[in-house]
Amino acid sequence: LPRSPPRSSHSVFPPDSSGQSDLAKLSSLLDFQYQWEKLFSSGKAFEHIVRSALKISGAERGFILLTRDDGFEYVIALDSAGSLLPLSDFQTSQSVAREVATRGELLYMPEGIGAHFAEQHSILALHLRSLACVPLRWLSADWNEARVRGVLYLDSTKNLRTMSGLDEKILKK
């Protein structure tokens, strides 16, 4: 019979009373990781964020855009009913998204588009009356602080709901 190698005091996992070998524990850990990745995905997380933001704001459309060197990558777009929008409907104000990504600050115009953006081609073409854009920040292994990596962009041809102080705090976090 093959003998198992002697247990070292530097085992990857601490010994326990369950009698599981390191291989069985590693197998369990890999299974957990597989299940986590299967159940949790950035796509599902982004979809949940957009759905929630649409409910809170009353916007007609919501998008997640990730920053790239040459602009933005559209990740997901939903309408107010929560349906995925076709790629042909992935149209937003790039100038709004760019400003929010650069400044890292929330932009919220619930009852009319501010003069700075009101005459922009995309806003006029889409007949937008209101919009909100929130910077999305996250950490990376090589950064010490969270950086803006994208934006949550919401727009509507109608007014958005007025934000309470709590709503604004939630969106800023």
Side-chain angles (χ1 to χ4, degrees), residues 3-18:
R3 291 182 16 186
S4 55
R7 192 182 264 301
S8 126
S9 62
H10 300 294
S11 176
V12 175
F13 300 99
D16 65 19
S17 59
S18 71

Side-chain angles (χ1 to χ4, degrees), residues 67 72 97 100-105 134-138 143 145-151:
T67 57
F72 292 96
V100 168
T102 301
R103 295 181 65 204
E105 295 177 9
V134 181
L136 299 175
R137 294 178 174 84
W138 59 81
W143 301 333
E145 61 185 52
R147 293 187 184 176
V148 175
R149 296 297 308 260
V151 297

Side-chain angles (χ1 to χ4, degrees), residues 1-161:
L1 291 171
R3 291 182 16 186
S4 55
R7 192 182 264 301
S8 126
S9 62
H10 300 294
S11 176
V12 175
F13 300 99
D16 65 19
S17 59
S18 71
Q20 282 192 317
S21 69
D22 282 350
L23 185 56
K25 291 176 188 176
L26 185 56
S27 175
S28 294
L29 181 63
L30 290 173
D31 183 56
F32 171 79
Q33 181 181 5
Y34 170 77
Q35 293 299 326
W36 175 262
E37 289 172 354
K38 185 173 140 187
L39 298 173
F40 177 83
S41 69
S42 58
K44 290 290 183 194
F46 287 150
E47 185 176 331
H48 183 73
I49 289 168
V50 175
R51 283 183 199 283
S52 297
L54 287 168
K55 286 179 187 175
I56 292 168
S57 68
E60 293 172 319
R61 304 180 320 147
F63 300 83
I64 297 280
L65 294 83
L66 298 182
T67 57
R68 298 288 177 237
D69 291 337
D70 59 343
F72 292 96
E73 172 188 351
Y74 288 86
V75 176
I76 190 167
L78 299 171
D79 64 19
S80 59
S83 301
L84 290 170
L85 294 174
L87 190 57
S88 60
D89 287 349
F90 278 42
Q91 300 171 4
T92 62
S93 170
Q94 294 289 303
S95 55
V96 168
R98 208 172 16 259
E99 181 166 319
V100 168
T102 301
R103 295 181 65 204
E105 295 177 9
L106 167 72
L107 183 64
Y108 194 69
M109 294 180 269
E111 298 175 358
I113 306 294
H116 179 69
F117 298 108
E119 297 301 317
Q120 303 227 344
H121 176 71
S122 58
I123 289 175
L124 293 171
L126 294 168
H127 307 288
L128 298 179
R129 183 177 178 102
S130 56
L131 62 85
C133 195
V134 181
L136 299 175
R137 294 178 174 84
W138 59 81
L139 289 170
S140 177
D142 57 336
W143 301 333
N144 292 331
E145 61 185 52
R147 293 187 184 176
V148 175
R149 296 297 308 260
V151 297
L152 166 62
Y153 176 97
L154 307 165
D155 66 20
S156 187
T157 57
K158 301 179 265 182
N159 288 345
L160 297 180
R161 294 185 183 118

